[in-house]
Amino acid sequence: MRIPEYLPQTNQTGEIISITTAAADVDPNHSLTIYSDSKTTIDGLTRNRQRWEDNGFAGVANAKELRTTIATLRRRNTPTTLKWVKGHSGLEGNDKADALAKKGSEKAEQDEVDLLIPPNLCVTGAKLNSTTQTRAYKTIRQIKMSKKQYQKAIDRRNTKINTGRAKSVVKEIMGSEPSNKILWRSLRHKDFSRKFRYFIWMVAHEGYKTGNYWQNISNFENRANCHPCGVPESMDHILTECQCPGQQQIWELTKEICTKKGIEWNEPSLGMILGAGVIKPNKREGKPSDGDARFLRIVTSESTHLIWKLRCERVIQGRNSPSPEEVTRKWKKSIEARIGLDRLMVTAQFRKRSLSKGLVERTWRSVISDEDNLPEDWTGEAGVLVGRRSGQG
């Protein structure tokens, strides 16, 4: 079978459709045993089924296909057994299934998949006695996002261009292109501050009013161009090209601290910024750790947002451009604030959201001031960046 393009093109989709087909084709009065190498699918149809139904399948991948499979299994009059087998282990049936799946993917025409559920077997909504405000919100959002009107509204040309640029840069740096799902999820990476998550989402959708937007706004036409540079203002120009004090200096400071960390620096671009949550660092020596990747995400996001903040202060609030010393001070303050936040997040009071001391130490290793003289657990000390101490300089 060749899975139609309107369904998610994943292995799990193929497993779910295969189970549905088997359950529908076999006489419902005969017992049936299905062998599958997908633990996720089997657990979804057995162990997690009741909980997912109670929550209205909120946030569950392949929810529509799983609902159909569950309804198909319920129509059977005799037991259906699902058994897990290890994939690619020489098992004859599993190898034949893989061969048929490959043959199906090479078919010229797509197969039609019937996902209709009989009304008497259709379980809709979520149970009120098992839902929470968060789950209810996710369910409502999921319903809203599934509507054609919503999908049409987010199908913007500029958004596609920006995500395409991000995927191209990630492929150039890492050798492989991320999927749209991975890229959009990375914009909400937990290492980004809340203000940056909002900012980068707006940038991806061209949501900020810059450049040509102001051409048709009476008395605000002067905002369309970057006056020091004499060119139309765009997010590309603001973040990576503008000659106003701040932009180039902040990226130089970021490059300097990455070099101190031993991380190879990539020249900033809008695609690189949009893909910051996916890009993994390269090190001059050895392999990068999880702390190195986290460090790169933090300094890239904090530097980007500071450039935007300085631009807004200059263009919208009418402030004078900051001096080089003031730019450096603001940049160091933003990075030091993240170190302070990490030190707080190590404490147990944050529970599931807390950070391990090891991860925090790996993140800021080689950039903490006077690191050699700090105690082994420096997270309780006042060490800060690039040779400075709190209250000094």
Side-chain angles (χ1 to χ4, degrees), residues 258-391:
C258 286
T259 302
K260 186 178 179 68
K261 182 76 171 171
I263 296 174
E264 294 181 3
W265 176 245
N266 299 298
E267 287 301 315
S269 66
L270 187 61
M272 186 272 280
I273 293 169
L274 288 168
V278 182
I279 295 173
K280 295 181 180 179
N282 293 318
K283 296 205 72 173
R284 295 193 302 271
E285 297 180 3
K287 294 182 178 180
S289 66
D290 55 347
D292 295 323
R294 185 169 181 269
F295 173 83
L296 185 61
R297 285 190 287 268
I298 289 174
V299 296
T300 300
S301 60
E302 293 296 326
S303 297
T304 301
H305 196 262
L306 179 59
I307 292 171
W308 172 250
K309 183 178 178 181
L310 293 178
R311 175 265 178 192
C312 292
E313 290 177 352
R314 184 184 73 252
V315 175
I316 299 176
Q317 299 178 21
R319 297 185 185 179
N320 295 326
S321 297
S323 64
E325 293 77 15
E326 187 177 357
V327 171
T328 300
R329 186 167 62 251
K330 286 177 178 289
W331 179 82
K332 286 183 176 180
K333 183 179 179 181
S334 67
I335 304 299
E336 289 170 6
R338 289 304 301 267
I339 294 180
L341 180 61
D342 275 7
R343 290 169 56 205
L344 288 174
M345 294 294 288
V346 167
T347 58
Q349 70 185 44
F350 290 97
R351 299 179 183 177
K352 291 183 179 180
R353 296 184 180 182
S354 64
L355 300 173
S356 68
K357 290 182 180 180
L359 177 60
V360 173
E361 290 170 355
R362 290 191 297 274
T363 300
W364 303 107
R365 184 177 296 155
S366 302
V367 296
I368 297 293
S369 68
D370 201 21
E371 187 173 14
D372 294 337
N373 296 321
L374 289 175
E376 185 176 351
D377 181 14
W378 58 261
T379 56
E381 294 294 315
V384 293
L385 285 174
V386 287
R388 294 175 67 247
R389 280 280 195 180
S390 296

Side-chain angles (χ1 to χ4, degrees), residues 1-4 6-7 17 109-115:
M1 175 180 287
R2 179 180 170 186
I3 303 298
Y6 57 81
L7 295 180
I17 299 301
E109 296 183 359
Q110 304 174 27
D111 288 277
E112 288 295 326
V113 177
D114 184 9
L115 296 178

Side-chain angles (χ1 to χ4, degrees), residues 49-57 123-132 135-136 139:
R49 176 190 56 77
Q50 188 65 57
R51 177 167 54 86
W52 286 355
E53 283 189 326
D54 289 348
N55 296 332
F57 283 87
V123 180
T124 60
K127 284 187 176 180
L128 291 179
N129 63 356
S130 65
T131 194
T132 62
R135 289 172 182 167
T139 302

Side-chain angles (χ1 to χ4, degrees), residues 115-148:
L115 296 178
L116 293 178
I117 303 174
N120 61 319
L121 294 174
C122 185
V123 180
T124 60
K127 284 187 176 180
L128 291 179
N129 63 356
S130 65
T131 194
T132 62
Q133 184 175 357
T134 301
R135 289 172 182 167
Y137 171 78
K138 288 182 178 179
T139 302
I140 295 170
R141 187 170 181 269
Q142 188 175 27
I143 294 171
K144 180 180 178 181
M145 291 176 66
S146 65
K147 294 183 178 179
K148 290 183 179 180

Side-chain angles (χ1 to χ4, degrees), residues 189-205:
H189 202 287
K190 63 181 180 180
D191 292 336
F192 295 151
S193 64
R194 180 175 296 180
K195 60 185 179 182
F196 182 77
R197 290 178 212 165
Y198 175 80
F199 169 78
I200 200 65
W201 189 89
M202 290 286 286
V203 170
H205 287 293

